[in-house]
Amino acid sequence: MKIVVLGAGIIGISTAWYLLEQGHEVTVVDRQPDAALETSFANGAQISVCFCEPWANAGAPFKVAKWLLRDDSPLLFRPRLDIAQWRYGLAFLGQCTTKAFERNVEELVQLGRYSHESLKALVTQTGIEYNRLEKGILHFFSSQADFDNGVVAAEIMKSHGVDRRILDHDEVLKVEPALANFQGRIYGGTYTPSDESGDARVFTQKLARLCAERGATFLYEHDILQLARAGQGIEAVQVADSRTGQKKTLKADAFVAAMGSYTPALARQVGEFLNIYPAKGYSATLKLKKPEAASVVSLLDDTRKIAISRLGDSIRIAGTAELSGFDLRLDTPTAKVRCDALVKRYEELFPGVADLSERNYWTGLRPSTPSNIPYIGRSRKASNLWINAGHGTLGWTHGAGSGHALAELMAGRRPAIDFDFYGDVPGKA
């Protein structure tokens, strides 16, 4: 088939790769000058198959209420006159039950395993290098109460077949000796040795180059304007060169919407309503002054709800979520507080290890669903429009598997995964 993929982040490029594997003619469209320049650009760098709990749980509403007025809170909800925000928020509350949490965990674990196997096979096939570290992920706790809660969470994940090990204080330091300076405030941790980390932007851009070598056409710096209907499907998509304004009409047999938080606006053109809302996340990337004293194992700091990942001679500190629409500014008072909090926390953990004179701050919009389950499958409103969006904080973790699965679905095959795919797909009752 001739297929147009709309979006060149980790999800879109992974989808393009697997479609090319099946022999399709693929065109990728993105408004940026290269792949992975938006949400995939500077994320937390973790492949966190075993740390995939959905945000919605029985205790989440109380935490959100407690954090409501704090600019540096892990999850910041600022109510707006925004129907999409309230629709998301009400649906989120509906997912804050034990039954929904258990169901959503199972879905995320299944997709995570499938995706990790897809990623490992893809890396073996292509030889792509992206500062990959197969050292696992260590989650450490700075209070006894938090550690006790972490033990409960670990037991829940174990019941889903996840290898999450409970560590005491000394075992945490054995896994990551670089935490020795902070050891007086560590009460324990959990560790998932099968997880890993790496640079999503580097991986995605290299995979995009390989897609181009295999014949994919890339239309960078092109805005996606309009879907043109034809009967029960889509006939074409209209795009415009952002430099010249020149419009083009791209006809194809099938279309894939993989535009992250911007996917719902496109889907609404055909009457499809996807409950995806942008969660603004932040990161800081710092050069290391003392690489030998920096952590190597990818970390989760429970107190601040941040991820810390080693990327060669740099360190990435990422986290927080802000439900405030499509605001990508880094110069607002709130943004400055949240960015500075990332660096301040790193300096508390690893004083003098990073060069704080050059702080590479970044923000991106994580496409979040109330359940944290992404939309992967065929549109319910247009027979040849396929959706691959809504991965939230797990786009890097689920990227390869989501692309692989969607390509299988588009070929009329049921992927080898027990997952509730969206829309009318093979094998679905």
Side-chain angles (χ1 to χ4, degrees), residues 273-291:
F273 291 92
L274 306 175
N275 198 350
I276 297 172
Y277 194 78
K280 185 179 183 181
Y282 297 84
S283 76
T285 306
L286 309 173
K287 288 291 184 183
L288 292 170
K289 288 195 301 186
K290 301 177 182 177

Side-chain angles (χ1 to χ4, degrees), residues 152-355:
V152 172
E155 294 298 340
I156 292 173
M157 296 306 292
K158 285 182 180 180
S159 71
H160 291 275
V162 168
D163 182 15
R164 188 183 293 187
R165 302 173 187 178
I166 299 167
L167 310 181
D168 63 22
H169 171 275
D170 292 343
E171 289 170 328
V172 168
L173 295 176
K174 187 174 180 180
V175 170
E176 183 45 84
L179 284 168
N181 178 75
F182 197 70
Q183 62 177 306
R185 286 167 284 179
I186 292 176
Y187 286 75
T190 63
Y191 177 55
T192 55
S194 61
D195 285 336
E196 56 181 271
S197 60
D199 195 319
R201 176 189 61 81
V202 171
F203 174 86
T204 304
Q205 290 181 348
K206 289 184 176 181
L207 188 61
R209 307 288 185 272
L210 292 178
C211 287
E213 290 175 11
R214 298 187 68 171
T217 299
F218 283 84
L219 294 179
Y220 289 125
E221 296 183 278
H222 277 72
D223 295 319
I224 299 159
L225 303 179
Q226 187 72 37
L227 297 172
R229 296 218 55 156
Q232 298 300 310
I234 304 297
E235 179 182 42
V237 60
Q238 186 183 63
V239 302
D241 189 317
S242 59
R243 296 158 297 183
T244 66
Q246 183 179 0
K247 294 181 180 179
K248 299 178 184 178
T249 299
L250 306 177
K251 293 187 175 183
D253 301 304
F255 301 83
V256 176
M259 299 160 57
S261 297
Y262 300 90
T263 305
L266 185 76
R268 280 198 297 272
Q269 293 183 10
V270 297
E272 189 97 41
F273 291 92
L274 306 175
N275 198 350
I276 297 172
Y277 194 78
K280 185 179 183 181
Y282 297 84
S283 76
T285 306
L286 309 173
K287 288 291 184 183
L288 292 170
K289 288 195 301 186
K290 301 177 182 177
E292 72 284 355
S295 54
V296 177
V297 176
S298 192
L299 304 173
L300 283 171
D301 176 1
D302 189 77
T303 299
R304 296 295 181 184
K305 303 294 189 290
I306 60 174
I308 299 171
S309 295
R310 180 76 172 265
L311 297 172
D313 288 334
S314 296
I315 201 79
R316 172 78 48 77
I317 313 112
T320 79
E322 184 180 326
L323 300 175
S324 57
F326 289 83
D327 179 12
L328 278 166
R329 291 175 296 170
L330 279 169
D331 59 355
T332 66
T334 296
K336 290 178 180 178
V337 167
R338 294 172 85 75
C339 287
D340 289 343
L342 295 174
V343 175
K344 180 181 178 182
R345 183 58 170 177
Y346 185 78
E347 188 66 8
E348 288 175 1
L349 296 169
F350 306 99
V353 171
D355 180 0

Side-chain angles (χ1 to χ4, degrees), residues 1-3 18-26 407 410-411:
M1 294 189 293
K2 186 174 183 179
I3 301 173
Y18 287 104
L19 290 172
L20 288 165
E21 286 272 273
Q22 295 180 358
H24 300 299
E25 180 183 341
V26 177
M410 293 177 72

Side-chain angles (χ1 to χ4, degrees), residues 6 11-12 14-15 256-260 263 276 374-377 386-391 398-399 401-407:
L6 304 171
I11 305 299
S14 295
T15 304
V256 176
M259 299 160 57
T263 305
I276 297 172
Y375 293 91
I376 306 172
W386 297 80
I387 311 295
N388 206 349
H391 295 76
H398 292 158
S402 297
H404 190 183
L406 191 71

